[in-house]
Amino acid sequence: PGSGIYLMQQHYTWNGPLNLERLAEAWGRVIDRHPILRTAYVWKDLKRPLQVVRRRIDLAEAVHVLDWRGSSAAEQKDRLIRTLDSELAEGFDMGRAPLMRIRLIRTGEESYHIVRSFHHILTDDWCFSILMMEVLSYYEALLEGRSIDLPSPRPYRDYIAWLQRQDLGAAETFWRKELEGFSAPTSLGVERLSSARQEAVSEVGDEFGELSEHATVHLTTIAQQQGLTLNTFLQGAWALLLSRYSGSDDIVMGVTVAGRPTELEGVESIVGLFINSLPLRVRITSSAPVLGWLKGLLADNYGIGRYEYLPRVQIQQGSGIPK
């Protein structure tokens, strides 16, 4: 609470004609379509947590249309920073839907800020293109005064029902065997934190890097020829780095999976949170040819994918690693 670590803020600038009222209405149509965008979460004094879906969200609760044209550019920038910082500190009331806020801010005659804030428990990155395509489809139709009939998406509750049909016992057995003999996190030998850093341990930052075009083309070509993925190369490099730092040839690292079961028809159109972060155990064999080792790494990814639905906290509880 108060860290804002799971409160996502997507910020865009728009230069050119834009009808904020129609755009707000388009977002309202999308919120009506997807139950997850009308969902709250309650658990206090309950035996099990529940998702509570409101039948209807008033547009003014979710979409805020603002006009800041009376302020200078510097004042607008400062105002936006303060607004978003305050939102991160306050967070959302998890028991009150919507856990999403759209700000449509006019800053000039044809310049705008568009900010979508939402709790990560609602959606993952897979949902981004679904939502944006639907918003733009409704927006264009509203501008042109025509009706639009988009195919009905599967509701998120269908995924919850699918989860409840899975064999959790088999999944727990798989993960216990997968992590057998692993009793401590992979140590890098650089975990020492100063007292100041320990107090600020909730701070999170992103680091970005780019491969050259030549390296990207080269890796893509090899991946296609060998039946690998670019992600496999990155995982392999990361595993080797962890092995070098830890001095161990048996490491566990985290991998994020899409988590959408292929056997659930229409799962690609469901808006909701599916991703899971799983432990991937990697053995480093210095004598193994690198391409063969990478293919084994890819196979390991597919292997844990069979039971990717088990919550990470349950996976951890079944391992030999203390909480």
Side-chain angles (χ1 to χ4, degrees):
S3 70
I5 193 170
Y6 286 117
L7 201 163
M8 309 290 109
Q9 294 174 326
Q10 297 173 339
H11 173 214
Y12 310 91
T13 56
W14 180 287
N15 295 301
L18 189 65
N19 188 316
L20 293 187
E21 287 69 27
R22 297 288 82 80
L23 185 57
E25 189 177 349
W27 267 110
R29 300 280 185 94
V30 171
I31 292 170
D32 288 343
R33 277 174 57 79
H34 298 287
I36 196 67
L37 301 182
R38 293 178 272 111
T39 296
Y41 296 80
V42 293
W43 61 87
K44 293 180 181 178
D45 302 321
L46 298 176
K47 291 183 178 179
R48 54 185 294 196
L50 295 175
Q51 294 181 227
V52 180
V53 182
R54 289 178 58 181
R55 288 188 175 88
R56 178 77 181 172
I57 296 289
D58 184 68
L59 185 61
E61 295 180 80
V63 185
H64 302 168
V65 179
L66 307 169
D67 191 340
W68 290 359
R69 284 179 292 176
S71 303
S72 67
E75 291 171 335
Q76 291 172 358
K77 181 179 180 180
D78 181 65
R79 188 174 181 181
L80 183 62
I81 291 173
R82 284 188 285 107
T83 298
L84 298 186
D85 284 349
S86 175
E87 181 179 71
L88 285 175
E90 293 175 10
F92 284 106
D93 178 354
M94 300 300 291
R96 182 179 179 181
L99 301 179
M100 181 177 75
R101 185 180 295 118
I102 310 294
R103 292 184 179 87
L104 307 176
I105 308 168
R106 189 169 188 177
T107 56
E109 292 308 308
E110 288 195 345
S111 60
Y112 306 85
H113 286 306
I114 301 173
V115 182
R116 175 183 170 232
S117 302
F118 63 98
H119 197 284
H120 199 356
I121 201 169
L122 295 187
T123 61
D124 51 35
D125 271 355
W126 183 293
C127 304
F128 177 77
S129 59
I130 299 174
L131 294 175
M132 291 302 102
M133 289 176 68
E134 290 185 358
V135 167
L136 291 174
S137 295
Y138 279 118
Y139 176 67
E140 291 173 358
L142 289 167
L143 281 182
E144 297 167 7
R146 56 180 172 85
S147 61
I148 182 173
D149 186 21
L150 297 179
S152 298
R154 289 198 75 162
Y156 190 66
R157 67 180 299 153
D158 287 1
Y159 171 62
I160 301 299
W162 179 89
L163 276 177
Q164 293 174 335
R165 295 193 299 268
Q166 303 313 299
D167 188 343
L168 296 185
E172 290 172 347
T173 298
F174 168 84
W175 282 110
R176 275 198 303 271
K177 185 177 180 181
E178 185 72 14
L179 298 173
E180 188 177 7
F182 214 90
S183 58
T186 298
S187 172
L188 301 182
V190 293
E191 290 87 352
R192 297 177 298 277
L193 291 177
S194 66
S195 57
R197 285 298 300 154
Q198 288 175 337
E199 293 176 0
V201 73
S202 64
E203 292 181 2
V204 176
D206 294 319
E207 188 71 26
F208 296 94
E210 292 185 358
L211 292 177
S212 68
E213 183 178 353
H214 173 75
T216 303
V217 170
H218 190 50
L219 283 175
T220 303
T221 301
I222 297 175
Q224 292 171 345
Q225 291 172 345
Q226 299 295 328
L228 296 169
T229 67
L230 293 179
N231 184 51
T232 313
F233 285 110
L234 291 172
Q235 283 189 353
W238 184 243
L240 289 172
L241 184 70
L242 293 180
S243 176
R244 297 294 191 273
Y245 268 90
S246 65
S248 173
D249 58 4
D250 185 7
I251 64 168
V252 169
M253 62 187 191
V255 295
T256 301
V257 294
R260 292 179 180 252
T262 55
E263 62 264 38
L264 183 59
E265 186 178 353
V267 69
E268 68 279 353
S269 70
I270 301 178
V271 172
L273 181 66
F274 287 82
I275 63 169
N276 197 6
S277 294
L278 304 174
L280 178 65
R281 190 170 187 173
V282 184
R283 277 84 167 182
I284 310 298
T285 307
S286 59
S287 60
V290 66
L291 286 174
W293 178 72
L294 288 173
K295 289 179 179 179
L297 184 58
L298 181 60
D300 290 342
N301 276 270
Y302 285 128
I304 66 174
R306 291 178 297 161
Y307 298 103
E308 65 185 7
Y309 54 82
L310 194 68
R312 186 176 60 219
V313 64
Q314 290 179 240
I315 295 174
Q316 196 272 340
Q317 287 172 350
S319 72
I321 301 176
K323 288 186 179 180

